[in-house]
Amino acid sequence: MKISIIGSGNVGTALAQGFLKAGHQVAFGVRNVSSAKSEKASALIVGAVFKSIEESCLLAEVIIITTPPEAVLDLIPLLGDIKNKIVVDATNSVRTKPEPYATTFHAIKDLTKSEKVVKCFNSTGFENMTDPIYPSFGGIDMFCAGNDKASKSVVQQLAKDIGFAECWDFGGDDKVELLEKFALSWINLAILQGHGRNLAFKVIKR
Ligand SMILES: NC(=O)c1ccc[n+]([C@@H]2O[C@H](COP(=O)([O-])OP(=O)(O)OC[C@H]3O[C@@H](n4cnc5c(N)ncnc54)[C@H](OP(=O)(O)O)[C@@H]3O)[C@@H](O)[C@H]2O)c1
């Protein structure tokens, strides 16, 4: 698929590496191609393409937001016509939020009126997105939420393409904040409780 990743930091770089390895076309959409983060991503990823945010979105089928949450308010006018595109919110409103909205997802939905908005790639650390495989357990799990089932199913496949074993559907728009709380649960265990960032969630059933 043609994927635009807005932001070239920890999460953007991790996802871009996985998508490129899986054979997708990836363009970073950045505000500054010479920023320290863009230069680091460019050095790490062979064949990385950097464009302006507007240009990166033009041909994209999927746009993934990997910036601080409040940046979405600046980004919306730059995304262009997203009627036929899926927009993925990978951010967490932990320290800041896109006021007056609770999350980036809510801002995108309200300001663009698009139904094709999916929350995903927010619930684990970027190291787990770079390498979702744990020796002896296999792939860890990813989680998503949003109202549009067809958009979610595209994003679920993208998660599997980069090595997640499963991408569980948390439910509709009403579960987006729960998914951010789920991310906070990971942050709590990994960072606040000191278990380290090589820790991940996997659903088991019987
Ligand atoms: N770090 C994690 O493990 C993790 C895991 C899950 C979700 N998240 C969420 O993912 C998001 C990104 O986290 P990160 O760790 O990847 O952050 P990061 O390394 O600081 O990267 C943020 C990127 O966003 C860009 N950016 C900032 N403000 C912008 C604006 N107004 N317009 C356009 N681009 C802008 C930055 O551009 P410049 O290069 O120009 O500064 C940078 O490329 C956050 O919302 C975070 O909560 C993080």
Side-chain angles (χ1 to χ4, degrees), residues 105 117-120 122-123 141-157 159-160 165-176 178-179 182 203 205:
F105 179 101
V117 188
V118 179
K119 183 89 185 168
C120 193
N122 71 303
S123 57
D141 288 345
M142 182 42 71
F143 305 85
C144 68
N147 275 353
D148 186 44
K149 279 202 182 304
S151 301
K152 276 193 289 197
S153 114
V154 169
V155 177
Q156 285 171 311
Q157 185 57 51
K160 290 184 191 175
E166 192 50 77
C167 181
W168 295 89
D169 184 355
F170 250 48
D173 293 7
D174 59 322
K175 297 296 191 299
V176 166
L178 183 61
L179 203 38
F182 194 48
V203 175
K205 281 168 104 177

Side-chain angles (χ1 to χ4, degrees), residues 132-142 163-166 200-203:
I133 309 293
Y134 276 52
S136 74
F137 289 103
I140 58 171
D141 288 345
M142 182 42 71
F164 287 95
E166 192 50 77
F201 296 134
K202 190 166 177 70
V203 175

Side-chain angles (χ1 to χ4, degrees), residues 55-75:
E55 267 183 303
S56 78
C57 292
L58 268 182
L59 296 176
E61 296 162 284
V62 177
I63 300 169
I64 307 183
I65 312 287
T66 71
T67 63
E70 68 280 10
V72 71
L73 301 173
D74 300 329
L75 294 174

